[in-house]
Amino acid sequence: MIFSKRATAALALCSVLLVSNSPLGRALSTKSQNQSQNQIQTHGSGVDRRTAIQRAGIAAAGLGTVTGGGLFLPNASPAVATAAEPAASIHPVATLADGCRFPLASFGLQIYDDSTAYKLTLTALECGYRNFFASVLAGNQKGFARAIKDSNVPREDLYICGSVVSNRVSGFENARQATTKGWKRNMEAFGVGGIDYLDQIMLDYPGPDCESIQGQWTAFEEMHAQKLTRSISVSNFSARQLDCVLEKARVKPVVNQLPYSVAYHPGDAVADNASRGILVQAWAPLGGSLGGRFDKNVKKACGKIGKKYDKSFAQVALRWIVQSGGSFTTQSKNKDHFSEDLNIFDFELTEEEMKTLNSLA
């Protein structure tokens, strides 16, 4: 392993590392896109994948660089910003309400087989991702876990989130039992890759009523008490459903994953969640399956702003999310897009540009 003791010590529990590469446009040729999708290879000659992944982690952390011979050259430790700080000081790592360090950008696995999940997880690691959302709905947690194991990236350098679906069960005890079975299945699947704890477990959908939701949440609190997860969170929860959880919660949710983008941001979701100590994580941040598809007008407006910063329409759209106070989980099968989606922390949208983007929904 290339990491020196000094480098490893500098990486705190729950830290997430993000690499910042030079801007990569979305307007690639069809040939280049096919090559990116079908070939998974390291940058540069004579560098094996394991070395590339480890170097990406160190560089992404801002801790320093690794020379061709594997020597770690440290920099001063980077500051960690909270999500509430002004846009000018947005850092790739935020601090959640429970004190855990959390990446503003993550890779969310989609529905494909374990073999594809394995390959894409290694690609994401190589590009610099250290935060992963491996939902039970994707059905490939074992493939993801095997990739984590084979990457040899230290577990403490990663932020791993699983999920449970138990929303069709009614009643406190039934919901608690179903949710318990769900998180145990998560741990079994992740265990294939030697993952024996999670950084976060997410409740994918709320139960049909408050009593059921509180049963779901109690199961998560029991998992947390066993130190099998550091944080517990929700997805697709309304303000009313959040308040149902908070009414009796011993451990509070710290993230709410919602459909959120420049093309779809109803109400004041970010502010409503922030007032409860919860960070919004956008799913489908570039359009997708629930409303807010990026039509030509949205892409044109984002692209026009992007020209000023040498950024693509997608980078502008993702920057809008973090500058609005949120975070996002993105996905791709294109290696260049993986890198591009991380490279959004080196520019700042103006107030007028934010207003323009706000008006697109």
Side-chain angles (χ1 to χ4, degrees):
M1 187 171 69
I2 294 177
F3 278 82
S4 67
K5 292 182 179 179
R6 181 173 181 178
T8 301
L11 301 172
L13 285 171
C14 295
S15 65
V16 62
L17 312 177
L18 297 164
V19 66
S20 179
N21 298 316
S22 59
L24 291 166
R26 295 259 175 184
L28 298 172
S29 67
T30 301
K31 180 178 179 181
S32 295
Q33 289 180 349
N34 290 337
Q35 288 176 337
S36 296
Q37 292 170 358
N38 298 325
Q39 299 178 6
I40 299 177
Q41 56 190 357
T42 58
H43 293 296
S45 59
V47 179
D48 61 74
R49 161 162 254 159
R50 182 180 300 176
T51 300
I53 289 172
Q54 291 174 334
R55 290 181 184 179
I58 292 176
L63 297 172
T65 58
V66 179
T67 68
L71 176 65
F72 172 68
L73 302 177
N75 293 329
S77 298
V80 179
T82 65
E85 290 181 343
S89 60
I90 290 177
H91 189 276
V93 183
T95 301
L96 298 175
D98 62 1
C100 193
R101 297 176 67 189
F102 183 78
L104 294 181
S106 83
F107 168 48
L109 285 83
Q110 302 300 298
I111 299 175
Y112 28 67
D113 59 25
D114 283 317
S115 176
T116 301
Y118 179 93
K119 294 175 182 177
L120 291 177
T121 299
L122 289 178
T123 299
L125 283 164
E126 184 182 332
C127 290
Y129 286 85
R130 294 297 185 267
N131 174 16
F132 295 88
F133 177 55
S135 170
V136 67
L137 290 172
N140 47 37
Q141 290 177 326
K142 291 182 179 179
F144 162 78
R146 291 189 183 103
I148 294 299
K149 181 179 181 180
D150 291 349
S151 74
N152 285 321
V153 173
R155 175 64 184 88
E156 62 267 23
D157 296 353
L158 301 170
Y159 195 99
I160 298 174
C161 178
S163 75
V164 171
V165 179
S166 58
N167 60 305
R168 294 185 179 182
V169 180
S170 298
F172 180 94
E173 187 57 25
N174 288 337
R176 187 190 71 81
Q177 291 181 13
T179 305
T180 298
K181 290 179 181 178
W183 68 250
K184 286 183 176 179
R185 283 195 291 268
N186 270 252
M187 297 310 299
E188 180 180 354
F190 288 128
V192 170
I195 299 169
D196 58 5
Y197 73 92
L198 300 180
D199 297 282
Q200 187 177 121
I201 188 74
M202 184 172 286
L203 195 58
D204 253 322
Y205 291 94
D209 53 53
C210 188
E211 181 184 13
S212 302
I213 291 172
Q214 290 176 349
Q216 292 175 300
W217 198 251
T218 296
F220 269 11
E221 290 181 325
E222 291 168 352
M223 181 185 183
H224 184 270
Q226 295 178 44
K227 300 187 184 303
L228 295 174
T229 184
R230 299 185 185 282
S231 298
I232 49 181
S233 294
V234 298
S235 181
N236 304 301
F237 271 56
S238 67
R240 178 181 59 80
Q241 291 159 340
L242 289 174
D243 289 339
C244 174
V245 171
L246 294 171
E247 180 182 343
K248 295 185 178 181
R250 299 187 304 274
V251 182
K252 296 180 179 181
V254 291
V255 170
N256 187 9
Q257 194 181 91
L258 298 170
Y260 189 79
S261 70
V262 293
Y264 184 81
H265 49 274
D268 298 313
V270 169
D272 287 345
N273 279 266
S275 69
R276 294 167 171 82
I278 298 170
L279 175 69
V280 166
Q281 183 182 52
W283 65 262
L286 297 176
S289 59
L290 181 65
R293 292 189 179 277
F294 280 33
D295 60 25
K296 62 181 181 180
N297 292 328
V298 172
K299 291 182 179 180
K300 181 179 179 180
C302 292
K304 182 178 180 180
I305 292 172
K307 289 181 180 180
K308 173 182 174 181
Y309 305 102
D310 193 23
K311 300 292 183 181
S312 69
F313 83 86
Q315 288 172 308
V316 169
L318 294 175
R319 176 67 195 189
W320 174 86
I321 291 174
V322 299
Q323 208 164 309
S324 296
S327 60
F328 62 87
T329 181
T330 188
Q331 62 87 23
S332 179
K333 290 186 178 180
N334 184 309
K335 186 173 181 178
D336 290 337
H337 291 174
F338 271 121
S339 296
E340 180 181 331
D341 290 349
L342 288 179
N343 189 21
I344 64 163
F345 295 98
D346 59 350
F347 74 107
E348 179 183 354
L349 299 169
T350 67
E351 184 176 345
E352 286 302 313
E353 289 166 344
M354 288 293 291
K355 289 180 179 178
T356 297
L357 296 172
N358 288 342
S359 69
L360 296 177

